[in-house]
Amino acid sequence: MGITRKPGKMMVLLLALVMTLTTVGCSSNANKNNETTANNGNTTNVAATTEPTAAAVSADEPGWKSDTSPITFDWYLNFAWFPNKWGVDPTSQYVTKKTGVNLNFIVPAGNENEKLNTLIASGKMPDFITLGFWEDAVKKMIEGDLVLPLNKLAEEYDPYFFKVSDADKLGWNTQEDGNVYGYPNSSSSPADYEKYGDNYVSNQVFVVRKDMYEAIGSPDMRTPEGFLNALKMAKEKFPDINGQPLIPLGLHEFTATGNDSLEGYIQNFLAIPREKDGKLYNRETDPEYIRWMKTLRQANQDGLLAKDIFIDKRPQMEEKITQGRYFAMLYQRTDFAAQLGTLYQQDPNKIYIAVDGPANTNLDAPRLNGPGISGWTVTLISKDVKDKARAIKFLSYLNSEEGNKDLFLGEKGVSYDTIDGKDQFKPEVFDLMNKDRSAFDKKYGSSFTFWMMQNTNITDQWAPKSVEPYKQLEDWTRGKAFSNSEFDQIDPLGNSPEGIIGSKIKELRGKTFPKLLMAPSDAEFDKIWTEYINKQKEIGLDKFQAFQQVKYEENKKKLGM
C-alpha cells in the first residue's frame, strides 16, 4: 500500500541512506562479521573474496530475511492490563517461525509509572519498550541516553525501515538532536485524513443500556434537564439489577490527576474549541463546561451518582459492565468491547448503544477525537538491546504491510483464507472474535492481539465489516471524528519548571473534581470552583500555558498548517 509522503521531509534521511549504501562495502568487514553466514545455514550471496563479508543492506528488501536464526527479545509494555503471552497462539508462533524472533513480554503487575521509573532509575532497560506517547518517561529515556536513535540503527543495519515508515510520522517524532527514537502505532497524519478520513471513527461514546433506554421512552439526553430526567427514570424503573443496585451513570476512573470523562471527553461532546484566534483556549473555563459540571453535581445531590464511580478502577468497571449494572456511560467503546460481546451473547436487548449525549446550548454535534499523528503508543529500542541489527529489522517487519498483515490476519489457512477473491478471516474465526475476544486471543492471536506496531490505515483493506453490537457504536461516531494532532505533545516534561507546575495543576484537579460533584449546592460548587481557578493561577498556570502555546505553534509548523 502506498503511503503519502512529503519529499522535503525525507531529504536528511535519504542523504544519510545514500551515504550508508555507498560506504557499506568499506564498513561491512569491520562491523558485520557476525552476519556473514546469514540465512538459516544457507549460503549467502557474498562477494568473491577470501574474507567473509556481509550482504549489503538494501533499502528495497526486508532486512529481517537476512537472518532468521532464533533470538528472544524482552519487550516491556507499560500497560498492567495487557493479558497475553507471545508464543501461546498460532499467529505469534507463525511470526516466530518466519522471522526467528521470539518475544518475552514484561508487563507491570501494579502501578505502571512506578515500574517504569524503577527501570529508568536502574539504567538497565529491556530490548523494546512500548508506552503511551504522552508519558513523561519517553523524554526521560531519550534525555538519559537509555534508548537508541531508530534512524541511525536503520542507516547502519536496515534502511528498509525508511521505506516502510511514514515520512510525516518520522518528522513528527524527530527530536531536537535530529534523531527519531520512537515510532507510533495507530497513527494518522493530516495526509492520512485526506486519504482515509471517510473511514475514521472515534473511540469516544455516550452509551445507554438499550432495553432500559427504550423502556423509559428513549428520551433526549442532550440537555441538562433531559439528562437528569433520564437518569432519574432509569433508577426508578430499574432500581436493582440481579439483586445489585443500578449505577445510573458510569465514568472513567477517578485518578490522582483527574478523570478522562470529565475532561476531554465531555468537552468534546460539548464541542468546546481548543483554540481561539490562534491562542490555546482553556476549555475548563468555558460556560458550557461549567454548566454541565453543575449538572453532574445536581445528579449527585439527586442520588444519581453511585459511590462506586468515585472508587472503582477499570477491572471493577468491567465486571459491572458485564453485569449490565450501568444505565449510561461516558466512556470509550474499545475499553468495554469484550464485555459488550458477552452481553450480546446473553441478550441482544441488554447491550449498550451509543446515543446523543451531553451537548452545548446550541445542540451542536460533538467534535470527538479521531486518530492523531501521535497515535496511541510509541515503541523504542533500548541501548541495552542484545542485537541492534535484529531489533531494527524486526521493527521494520512489524511496521511493514507484510508485518501488519501477519499480525492482523494471522497465518493463512489457520485464521484467514482467500474467500471470494479477498483475504479475510475464516467465518468461524470471525465468529469467535465477536463472541469471546479473550478466547479468540488465545486460540488465534490475530486481529492485533499484539498491537504494538498496528497501522489501521494499512489493515483496513482486510478488516471485516463491523457487526453488532460493535457496529452501532462505530457508526454513531462517523462524521464526528476530527484530527487534533496540532494539540498533541504540548505538555512540558514533568521535571522541568513548567512540568512541575503542570503536575501540581493535575494533582489539584484530581482532588477537586470529586469535591465539585459532591458539593451540596450550586453555591458551594461556585466556591470550590473559584478556589480551584485561583489556586491554578497561584501555582503558575500562565507559565504552563505559555509553554503549551509555543509547542502548539511549533506543532502547526511541523504539520504545515
Side-chain angles (χ1 to χ4, degrees), residues 163-195:
K163 184 172 184 176
V164 298
S165 300
D166 187 307
D168 287 341
K169 291 159 196 173
L170 289 172
W172 178 256
N173 286 284
T174 297
Q175 303 296 311
E176 291 179 4
D177 63 3
N179 292 320
V180 180
Y181 295 88
Y183 197 85
N185 75 349
S186 301
S187 167
S188 291
S189 67
D192 288 330
Y193 266 80
E194 294 175 14
K195 192 170 183 180

PDB file of all heavy atoms in Angstrom, residues 163-195:
ATOM      1  N   LYS A 163      11.640   2.847   4.154  1.00  0.00           N
ATOM      2  CA  LYS A 163      10.655   2.560   3.116  1.00  0.00           C
ATOM      3  C   LYS A 163       9.293   2.243   3.716  1.00  0.00           C
ATOM      4  O   LYS A 163       8.249   2.584   3.146  1.00  0.00           O
ATOM      5  CB  LYS A 163      11.129   1.391   2.245  1.00  0.00           C
ATOM      6  CG  LYS A 163      10.194   1.086   1.085  1.00  0.00           C
ATOM      7  CD  LYS A 163      10.799   0.062   0.133  1.00  0.00           C
ATOM      8  CE  LYS A 163       9.872  -0.154  -1.067  1.00  0.00           C
ATOM      9  NZ  LYS A 163      10.462  -1.063  -2.068  1.00  0.00           N
ATOM     10  N   VAL A 164       9.289   1.588   4.881  1.00  0.00           N
ATOM     11  CA  VAL A 164       8.021   1.158   5.479  1.00  0.00           C
ATOM     12  C   VAL A 164       7.550   2.107   6.582  1.00  0.00           C
ATOM     13  O   VAL A 164       6.564   1.823   7.254  1.00  0.00           O
ATOM     14  CB  VAL A 164       8.132  -0.279   6.032  1.00  0.00           C
ATOM     15  CG1 VAL A 164       8.428  -1.253   4.908  1.00  0.00           C
ATOM     16  CG2 VAL A 164       9.182  -0.380   7.133  1.00  0.00           C
ATOM     17  N   SER A 165       8.256   3.209   6.749  1.00  0.00           N
ATOM     18  CA  SER A 165       7.857   4.203   7.751  1.00  0.00           C
ATOM     19  C   SER A 165       7.352   5.454   7.037  1.00  0.00           C
ATOM     20  O   SER A 165       7.822   5.787   5.950  1.00  0.00           O
ATOM     21  CB  SER A 165       9.028   4.559   8.668  1.00  0.00           C
ATOM     22  OG  SER A 165       9.489   3.410   9.355  1.00  0.00           O
ATOM     23  N   ASP A 166       6.418   6.116   7.649  1.00  0.00           N
ATOM     24  CA  ASP A 166       5.811   7.313   7.076  1.00  0.00           C
ATOM     25  C   ASP A 166       6.701   8.522   7.364  1.00  0.00           C
ATOM     26  O   ASP A 166       7.040   8.797   8.523  1.00  0.00           O
ATOM     27  CB  ASP A 166       4.427   7.502   7.695  1.00  0.00           C
ATOM     28  CG  ASP A 166       3.643   8.623   7.048  1.00  0.00           C
ATOM     29  OD1 ASP A 166       4.173   9.746   6.956  1.00  0.00           O
ATOM     30  OD2 ASP A 166       2.486   8.389   6.653  1.00  0.00           O
ATOM     31  N   ALA A 167       7.059   9.251   6.323  1.00  0.00           N
ATOM     32  CA  ALA A 167       7.958  10.396   6.486  1.00  0.00           C
ATOM     33  C   ALA A 167       7.363  11.450   7.415  1.00  0.00           C
ATOM     34  O   ALA A 167       8.073  12.080   8.203  1.00  0.00           O
ATOM     35  CB  ALA A 167       8.257  11.017   5.120  1.00  0.00           C
ATOM     36  N   ASP A 168       6.049  11.659   7.327  1.00  0.00           N
ATOM     37  CA  ASP A 168       5.408  12.641   8.205  1.00  0.00           C
ATOM     38  C   ASP A 168       5.524  12.230   9.666  1.00  0.00           C
ATOM     39  O   ASP A 168       5.728  13.060  10.554  1.00  0.00           O
ATOM     40  CB  ASP A 168       3.932  12.798   7.840  1.00  0.00           C
ATOM     41  CG  ASP A 168       3.742  13.555   6.530  1.00  0.00           C
ATOM     42  OD1 ASP A 168       4.680  14.252   6.114  1.00  0.00           O
ATOM     43  OD2 ASP A 168       2.659  13.446   5.934  1.00  0.00           O
ATOM     44  N   LYS A 169       5.391  10.926   9.924  1.00  0.00           N
ATOM     45  CA  LYS A 169       5.446  10.441  11.306  1.00  0.00           C
ATOM     46  C   LYS A 169       6.883  10.440  11.826  1.00  0.00           C
ATOM     47  O   LYS A 169       7.119  10.694  13.003  1.00  0.00           O
ATOM     48  CB  LYS A 169       4.799   9.060  11.397  1.00  0.00           C
ATOM     49  CG  LYS A 169       3.298   9.134  11.182  1.00  0.00           C
ATOM     50  CD  LYS A 169       2.658   7.841  10.756  1.00  0.00           C
ATOM     51  CE  LYS A 169       1.260   8.132  10.185  1.00  0.00           C
ATOM     52  NZ  LYS A 169       0.643   6.948   9.589  1.00  0.00           N
ATOM     53  N   LEU A 170       7.830  10.176  10.929  1.00  0.00           N
ATOM     54  CA  LEU A 170       9.236  10.306  11.329  1.00  0.00           C
ATOM     55  C   LEU A 170       9.543  11.768  11.652  1.00  0.00           C
ATOM     56  O   LEU A 170      10.201  12.074  12.654  1.00  0.00           O
ATOM     57  CB  LEU A 170      10.156   9.803  10.214  1.00  0.00           C
ATOM     58  CG  LEU A 170      10.183   8.298   9.979  1.00  0.00           C
ATOM     59  CD1 LEU A 170      10.985   7.974   8.712  1.00  0.00           C
ATOM     60  CD2 LEU A 170      10.765   7.552  11.169  1.00  0.00           C
ATOM     61  N   GLY A 171       9.055  12.672  10.794  1.00  0.00           N
ATOM     62  CA  GLY A 171       9.279  14.099  11.037  1.00  0.00           C
ATOM     63  C   GLY A 171       8.654  14.551  12.346  1.00  0.00           C
ATOM     64  O   GLY A 171       9.255  15.297  13.118  1.00  0.00           O
ATOM     65  N   TRP A 172       7.445  14.071  12.617  1.00  0.00           N
ATOM     66  CA  TRP A 172       6.730  14.447  13.838  1.00  0.00           C
ATOM     67  C   TRP A 172       7.493  14.000  15.079  1.00  0.00           C
ATOM     68  O   TRP A 172       7.509  14.702  16.090  1.00  0.00           O
ATOM     69  CB  TRP A 172       5.338  13.826  13.817  1.00  0.00           C
ATOM     70  CG  TRP A 172       4.519  14.098  15.044  1.00  0.00           C
ATOM     71  CD1 TRP A 172       4.254  13.237  16.054  1.00  0.00           C
ATOM     72  CD2 TRP A 172       3.861  15.314  15.386  1.00  0.00           C
ATOM     73  NE1 TRP A 172       3.471  13.827  17.015  1.00  0.00           N
ATOM     74  CE2 TRP A 172       3.215  15.116  16.632  1.00  0.00           C
ATOM     75  CE3 TRP A 172       3.760  16.569  14.768  1.00  0.00           C
ATOM     76  CZ2 TRP A 172       2.469  16.116  17.255  1.00  0.00           C
ATOM     77  CZ3 TRP A 172       3.023  17.564  15.404  1.00  0.00           C
ATOM     78  CH2 TRP A 172       2.389  17.337  16.629  1.00  0.00           C
ATOM     79  N   ASN A 173       8.127  12.832  15.008  1.00  0.00           N
ATOM     80  CA  ASN A 173       8.812  12.266  16.169  1.00  0.00           C
ATOM     81  C   ASN A 173      10.301  12.588  16.216  1.00  0.00           C
ATOM     82  O   ASN A 173      11.014  12.047  17.063  1.00  0.00           O
ATOM     83  CB  ASN A 173       8.591  10.748  16.208  1.00  0.00           C
ATOM     84  CG  ASN A 173       7.182  10.390  16.644  1.00  0.00           C
ATOM     85  OD1 ASN A 173       6.836  10.463  17.810  1.00  0.00           O
ATOM     86  ND2 ASN A 173       6.339  10.021  15.678  1.00  0.00           N
ATOM     87  N   THR A 174      10.766  13.450  15.313  1.00  0.00           N
ATOM     88  CA  THR A 174      12.172  13.858  15.328  1.00  0.00           C
ATOM     89  C   THR A 174      12.431  14.811  16.493  1.00  0.00           C
ATOM     90  O   THR A 174      11.705  15.796  16.684  1.00  0.00           O
ATOM     91  CB  THR A 174      12.556  14.536  14.002  1.00  0.00           C
ATOM     92  OG1 THR A 174      12.403  13.590  12.936  1.00  0.00           O
ATOM     93  CG2 THR A 174      13.999  15.022  14.034  1.00  0.00           C
ATOM     94  N   GLN A 175      13.452  14.502  17.272  1.00  0.00           N
ATOM     95  CA  GLN A 175      13.798  15.312  18.442  1.00  0.00           C
ATOM     96  C   GLN A 175      14.736  16.457  18.064  1.00  0.00           C
ATOM     97  O   GLN A 175      15.192  16.560  16.917  1.00  0.00           O
ATOM     98  CB  GLN A 175      14.448  14.424  19.503  1.00  0.00           C
ATOM     99  CG  GLN A 175      13.581  13.258  19.930  1.00  0.00           C
ATOM    100  CD  GLN A 175      12.290  13.674  20.610  1.00  0.00           C
ATOM    101  OE1 GLN A 175      12.296  14.501  21.513  1.00  0.00           O
ATOM    102  NE2 GLN A 175      11.171  13.097  20.164  1.00  0.00           N
ATOM    103  N   GLU A 176      15.056  17.288  19.036  1.00  0.00           N
ATOM    104  CA  GLU A 176      15.893  18.461  18.776  1.00  0.00           C
ATOM    105  C   GLU A 176      17.275  18.085  18.265  1.00  0.00           C
ATOM    106  O   GLU A 176      17.912  18.867  17.551  1.00  0.00           O
ATOM    107  CB  GLU A 176      16.016  19.313  20.043  1.00  0.00           C
ATOM    108  CG  GLU A 176      14.703  20.003  20.421  1.00  0.00           C
ATOM    109  CD  GLU A 176      14.827  20.832  21.680  1.00  0.00           C
ATOM    110  OE1 GLU A 176      15.951  20.925  22.223  1.00  0.00           O
ATOM    111  OE2 GLU A 176      13.805  21.390  22.135  1.00  0.00           O
ATOM    112  N   ASP A 177      17.734  16.869  18.601  1.00  0.00           N
ATOM    113  CA  ASP A 177      19.056  16.448  18.124  1.00  0.00           C
ATOM    114  C   ASP A 177      18.992  15.866  16.715  1.00  0.00           C
ATOM    115  O   ASP A 177      19.997  15.377  16.191  1.00  0.00           O
ATOM    116  CB  ASP A 177      19.692  15.432  19.088  1.00  0.00           C
ATOM    117  CG  ASP A 177      18.895  14.137  19.196  1.00  0.00           C
ATOM    118  OD1 ASP A 177      17.869  13.984  18.494  1.00  0.00           O
ATOM    119  OD2 ASP A 177      19.295  13.258  19.997  1.00  0.00           O
ATOM    120  N   GLY A 178      17.816  15.894  16.105  1.00  0.00           N
ATOM    121  CA  GLY A 178      17.676  15.409  14.731  1.00  0.00           C
ATOM    122  C   GLY A 178      17.396  13.923  14.617  1.00  0.00           C
ATOM    123  O   GLY A 178      17.295  13.401  13.506  1.00  0.00           O
ATOM    124  N   ASN A 179      17.280  13.246  15.746  1.00  0.00           N
ATOM    125  CA  ASN A 179      17.066  11.795  15.733  1.00  0.00           C
ATOM    126  C   ASN A 179      15.632  11.413  16.072  1.00  0.00           C
ATOM    127  O   ASN A 179      14.918  12.163  16.736  1.00  0.00           O
ATOM    128  CB  ASN A 179      18.013  11.118  16.727  1.00  0.00           C
ATOM    129  CG  ASN A 179      19.465  11.206  16.279  1.00  0.00           C
ATOM    130  OD1 ASN A 179      19.769  11.054  15.102  1.00  0.00           O
ATOM    131  ND2 ASN A 179      20.367  11.462  17.221  1.00  0.00           N
ATOM    132  N   VAL A 180      15.262  10.216  15.636  1.00  0.00           N
ATOM    133  CA  VAL A 180      13.940   9.648  15.911  1.00  0.00           C
ATOM    134  C   VAL A 180      14.131   8.454  16.834  1.00  0.00           C
ATOM    135  O   VAL A 180      14.829   7.503  16.481  1.00  0.00           O
ATOM    136  CB  VAL A 180      13.250   9.182  14.611  1.00  0.00           C
ATOM    137  CG1 VAL A 180      11.879   8.584  14.917  1.00  0.00           C
ATOM    138  CG2 VAL A 180      13.124  10.328  13.624  1.00  0.00           C
ATOM    139  N   TYR A 181      13.524   8.485  18.013  1.00  0.00           N
ATOM    140  CA  TYR A 181      13.729   7.419  18.994  1.00  0.00           C
ATOM    141  C   TYR A 181      12.522   6.491  19.136  1.00  0.00           C
ATOM    142  O   TYR A 181      12.669   5.360  19.583  1.00  0.00           O
ATOM    143  CB  TYR A 181      14.070   8.028  20.360  1.00  0.00           C
ATOM    144  CG  TYR A 181      15.379   8.757  20.380  1.00  0.00           C
ATOM    145  CD1 TYR A 181      15.443  10.109  20.039  1.00  0.00           C
ATOM    146  CD2 TYR A 181      16.565   8.098  20.711  1.00  0.00           C
ATOM    147  CE1 TYR A 181      16.652  10.793  20.036  1.00  0.00           C
ATOM    148  CE2 TYR A 181      17.779   8.779  20.722  1.00  0.00           C
ATOM    149  CZ  TYR A 181      17.814  10.122  20.378  1.00  0.00           C
ATOM    150  OH  TYR A 181      19.022  10.790  20.372  1.00  0.00           O
ATOM    151  N   GLY A 182      11.347   6.994  18.782  1.00  0.00           N
ATOM    152  CA  GLY A 182      10.151   6.172  18.933  1.00  0.00           C
ATOM    153  C   GLY A 182       9.277   6.263  17.703  1.00  0.00           C
ATOM    154  O   GLY A 182       9.227   7.302  17.029  1.00  0.00           O
ATOM    155  N   TYR A 183       8.594   5.154  17.389  1.00  0.00           N
ATOM    156  CA  TYR A 183       7.670   5.165  16.255  1.00  0.00           C
ATOM    157  C   TYR A 183       6.282   4.800  16.774  1.00  0.00           C
ATOM    158  O   TYR A 183       6.130   3.894  17.599  1.00  0.00           O
ATOM    159  CB  TYR A 183       8.103   4.180  15.172  1.00  0.00           C
ATOM    160  CG  TYR A 183       7.433   4.459  13.837  1.00  0.00           C
ATOM    161  CD1 TYR A 183       7.964   5.401  12.960  1.00  0.00           C
ATOM    162  CD2 TYR A 183       6.251   3.810  13.487  1.00  0.00           C
ATOM    163  CE1 TYR A 183       7.343   5.678  11.749  1.00  0.00           C
ATOM    164  CE2 TYR A 183       5.616   4.089  12.288  1.00  0.00           C
ATOM    165  CZ  TYR A 183       6.162   5.022  11.416  1.00  0.00           C
ATOM    166  OH  TYR A 183       5.548   5.307  10.223  1.00  0.00           O
ATOM    167  N   PRO A 184       5.248   5.509  16.294  1.00  0.00           N
ATOM    168  CA  PRO A 184       3.908   5.333  16.861  1.00  0.00           C
ATOM    169  C   PRO A 184       3.102   4.206  16.216  1.00  0.00           C
ATOM    170  O   PRO A 184       3.336   3.830  15.069  1.00  0.00           O
ATOM    171  CB  PRO A 184       3.243   6.681  16.568  1.00  0.00           C
ATOM    172  CG  PRO A 184       3.859   7.101  15.263  1.00  0.00           C
ATOM    173  CD  PRO A 184       5.295   6.602  15.314  1.00  0.00           C
ATOM    174  N   ASN A 185       2.137   3.691  16.971  1.00  0.00           N
ATOM    175  CA  ASN A 185       1.116   2.828  16.379  1.00  0.00           C
ATOM    176  C   ASN A 185      -0.184   3.630  16.271  1.00  0.00           C
ATOM    177  O   ASN A 185      -0.291   4.742  16.808  1.00  0.00           O
ATOM    178  CB  ASN A 185       0.911   1.544  17.196  1.00  0.00           C
ATOM    179  CG  ASN A 185       0.130   1.776  18.482  1.00  0.00           C
ATOM    180  OD1 ASN A 185      -0.118   2.893  18.918  1.00  0.00           O
ATOM    181  ND2 ASN A 185      -0.249   0.692  19.131  1.00  0.00           N
ATOM    182  N   SER A 186      -1.147   3.096  15.559  1.00  0.00           N
ATOM    183  CA  SER A 186      -2.479   3.726  15.426  1.00  0.00           C
ATOM    184  C   SER A 186      -2.372   5.212  15.093  1.00  0.00           C
ATOM    185  O   SER A 186      -3.156   6.020  15.582  1.00  0.00           O
ATOM    186  CB  SER A 186      -3.273   3.546  16.727  1.00  0.00           C
ATOM    187  OG  SER A 186      -3.434   2.192  17.046  1.00  0.00           O
ATOM    188  N   SER A 187      -1.419   5.552  14.257  1.00  0.00           N
ATOM    189  CA  SER A 187      -1.125   6.953  13.953  1.00  0.00           C
ATOM    190  C   SER A 187      -1.704   7.335  12.594  1.00  0.00           C
ATOM    191  O   SER A 187      -1.614   6.570  11.633  1.00  0.00           O
ATOM    192  CB  SER A 187       0.395   7.170  13.959  1.00  0.00           C
ATOM    193  OG  SER A 187       0.733   8.418  13.390  1.00  0.00           O
ATOM    194  N   SER A 188      -2.286   8.536  12.531  1.00  0.00           N
ATOM    195  CA  SER A 188      -2.800   9.053  11.266  1.00  0.00           C
ATOM    196  C   SER A 188      -2.411  10.514  11.124  1.00  0.00           C
ATOM    197  O   SER A 188      -2.739  11.342  11.978  1.00  0.00           O
ATOM    198  CB  SER A 188      -4.321   8.907  11.201  1.00  0.00           C
ATOM    199  OG  SER A 188      -4.690   7.541  11.108  1.00  0.00           O
ATOM    200  N   SER A 189      -1.708  10.816  10.052  1.00  0.00           N
ATOM    201  CA  SER A 189      -1.260  12.176   9.779  1.00  0.00           C
ATOM    202  C   SER A 189      -2.364  12.949   9.064  1.00  0.00           C
ATOM    203  O   SER A 189      -3.351  12.361   8.596  1.00  0.00           O
ATOM    204  CB  SER A 189      -0.021  12.128   8.883  1.00  0.00           C
ATOM    205  OG  SER A 189      -0.379  11.617   7.597  1.00  0.00           O
ATOM    206  N   PRO A 190      -2.225  14.267   8.957  1.00  0.00           N
ATOM    207  CA  PRO A 190      -3.198  15.024   8.150  1.00  0.00           C
ATOM    208  C   PRO A 190      -3.322  14.480   6.732  1.00  0.00           C
ATOM    209  O   PRO A 190      -4.423  14.459   6.171  1.00  0.00           O
ATOM    210  CB  PRO A 190      -2.611  16.441   8.172  1.00  0.00           C
ATOM    211  CG  PRO A 190      -1.901  16.532   9.491  1.00  0.00           C
ATOM    212  CD  PRO A 190      -1.297  15.155   9.683  1.00  0.00           C
ATOM    213  N   ALA A 191      -2.215  14.009   6.151  1.00  0.00           N
ATOM    214  CA  ALA A 191      -2.279  13.413   4.808  1.00  0.00           C
ATOM    215  C   ALA A 191      -3.119  12.141   4.830  1.00  0.00           C
ATOM    216  O   ALA A 191      -3.848  11.845   3.864  1.00  0.00           O
ATOM    217  CB  ALA A 191      -0.870  13.111   4.300  1.00  0.00           C
ATOM    218  N   ASP A 192      -3.020  11.380   5.921  1.00  0.00           N
ATOM    219  CA  ASP A 192      -3.838  10.174   6.051  1.00  0.00           C
ATOM    220  C   ASP A 192      -5.324  10.533   6.106  1.00  0.00           C
ATOM    221  O   ASP A 192      -6.168   9.787   5.585  1.00  0.00           O
ATOM    222  CB  ASP A 192      -3.460   9.390   7.315  1.00  0.00           C
ATOM    223  CG  ASP A 192      -2.108   8.701   7.197  1.00  0.00           C
ATOM    224  OD1 ASP A 192      -1.733   8.329   6.070  1.00  0.00           O
ATOM    225  OD2 ASP A 192      -1.438   8.543   8.237  1.00  0.00           O
ATOM    226  N   TYR A 193      -5.637  11.658   6.738  1.00  0.00           N
ATOM    227  CA  TYR A 193      -7.037  12.079   6.803  1.00  0.00           C
ATOM    228  C   TYR A 193      -7.591  12.334   5.399  1.00  0.00           C
ATOM    229  O   TYR A 193      -8.740  12.015   5.097  1.00  0.00           O
ATOM    230  CB  TYR A 193      -7.195  13.326   7.670  1.00  0.00           C
ATOM    231  CG  TYR A 193      -7.532  12.998   9.101  1.00  0.00           C
ATOM    232  CD1 TYR A 193      -6.560  12.612  10.000  1.00  0.00           C
ATOM    233  CD2 TYR A 193      -8.855  13.049   9.545  1.00  0.00           C
ATOM    234  CE1 TYR A 193      -6.865  12.288  11.312  1.00  0.00           C
ATOM    235  CE2 TYR A 193      -9.177  12.737  10.865  1.00  0.00           C
ATOM    236  CZ  TYR A 193      -8.181  12.357  11.734  1.00  0.00           C
ATOM    237  OH  TYR A 193      -8.498  12.024  13.028  1.00  0.00           O
ATOM    238  N   GLU A 194      -6.746  12.931   4.539  1.00  0.00           N
ATOM    239  CA  GLU A 194      -7.183  13.190   3.170  1.00  0.00           C
ATOM    240  C   GLU A 194      -7.435  11.881   2.424  1.00  0.00           C
ATOM    241  O   GLU A 194      -8.350  11.787   1.602  1.00  0.00           O
ATOM    242  CB  GLU A 194      -6.126  14.019   2.437  1.00  0.00           C
ATOM    243  CG  GLU A 194      -5.949  15.428   2.997  1.00  0.00           C
ATOM    244  CD  GLU A 194      -4.815  16.175   2.321  1.00  0.00           C
ATOM    245  OE1 GLU A 194      -4.358  15.710   1.255  1.00  0.00           O
ATOM    246  OE2 GLU A 194      -4.388  17.210   2.861  1.00  0.00           O
ATOM    247  N   LYS A 195      -6.656  10.874   2.741  1.00  0.00           N
ATOM    248  CA  LYS A 195      -6.734   9.602   2.015  1.00  0.00           C
ATOM    249  C   LYS A 195      -7.755   8.640   2.599  1.00  0.00           C
ATOM    250  O   LYS A 195      -8.495   7.963   1.881  1.00  0.00           O
ATOM    251  CB  LYS A 195      -5.347   8.948   1.997  1.00  0.00           C
ATOM    252  CG  LYS A 195      -5.223   7.777   1.044  1.00  0.00           C
ATOM    253  CD  LYS A 195      -3.769   7.371   0.915  1.00  0.00           C
ATOM    254  CE  LYS A 195      -3.615   6.249  -0.103  1.00  0.00           C
ATOM    255  NZ  LYS A 195      -2.195   5.840  -0.249  1.00  0.00           N
TER     256      LYS A 195
END
